[in-house]
Amino acid sequence: MIKNFDVIKEQLKELAVVINSFKSEAVQLRLVELVFEAVESGPIERSSGDSPALAARPRRQARKKAASASAAAGSPKAKGAGRPGGKAMLDRLLAEGLFKKPKTIKQLVDHCEHNLAFKYKQSDFSGPLGRMTRDGKLKRTKNADKQYEYSEA
């Protein structure tokens, strides 16, 4: 049981205005917990400028360190698992020789979806195709339907 309960009760009444000024109930609850922790463990020893609210930080930092260590240890995100971006996929398709014959953006999207099982939108390819054209890796021409077709330069 808590010693000096009446004293703590009076202190909480004095702090009620400050505690209730916070809109977040989680913050209010944490402040009350800090008050009770201070009572159970004795007076809080502070170094210059530290606040009791900083007591939770080491746990958060430890979790962040553990998460970054697991990511570096070989979690799927660290390996770059998942769908390649538009530029990476276009580089792959160029290396595979898909652009030997002219292709529209729609044909590229369909090829990736049906043959490679990667779903892309046309907008995923439009920017990288423009850059690859400006860099001289691809050339583009308009077909009879007035759509751009991209082929090897």
Side-chain angles (χ1 to χ4, degrees):
M1 191 82 186
I2 300 174
K3 297 177 184 176
N4 302 327
F5 184 75
D6 293 328
V7 175
I8 296 169
K9 185 176 171 183
E10 290 301 316
Q11 290 175 343
L12 282 174
K13 282 182 183 178
E14 292 172 11
L15 288 173
V17 175
V18 175
I19 292 173
N20 290 331
S21 68
F22 291 96
K23 291 182 181 179
S24 170
E25 289 180 13
V27 172
Q28 293 173 353
L29 180 62
R30 183 65 182 139
L31 289 172
V32 172
E33 287 174 351
L34 287 171
V35 168
F36 283 115
E37 286 175 10
V39 169
E40 290 174 3
S41 64
I44 299 174
E45 296 178 19
R46 293 187 211 173
S47 59
S48 61
D50 287 346
S51 68
L54 296 177
R57 284 203 176 170
R59 284 187 285 177
R60 277 188 255 151
Q61 289 174 349
R63 278 186 271 165
K64 285 182 183 178
K65 286 181 183 177
S68 66
S70 69
S75 68
K77 294 240 178 205
K79 294 180 185 174
R83 180 186 76 141
K87 170 108 173 68
M89 180 54 70
L90 289 174
D91 286 337
R92 175 179 165 184
L93 295 176
L94 181 62
E96 291 175 358
L98 185 74
F99 289 101
K100 290 188 189 293
K101 294 181 182 177
K103 303 285 183 198
T104 63
I105 294 181
K106 175 133 176 59
Q107 290 171 332
L108 294 171
V109 169
D110 291 342
H111 174 81
C112 290
E113 187 172 347
H114 297 298
N115 299 332
L116 304 175
F118 287 122
K119 190 153 179 85
Y120 289 96
K121 296 182 280 185
Q122 291 185 11
S123 60
D124 293 333
F125 290 146
S126 61
L129 281 170
R131 263 181 253 112
M132 292 173 80
T133 302
R134 285 189 297 275
D135 293 343
K137 294 179 183 177
L138 296 176
K139 65 179 181 179
R140 72 178 186 182
T141 55
K142 282 194 176 182
N143 63 11
D145 296 332
K146 301 198 182 208
Q147 293 181 337
Y148 283 114
E149 290 183 327
Y150 297 88
S151 60
E152 286 183 355

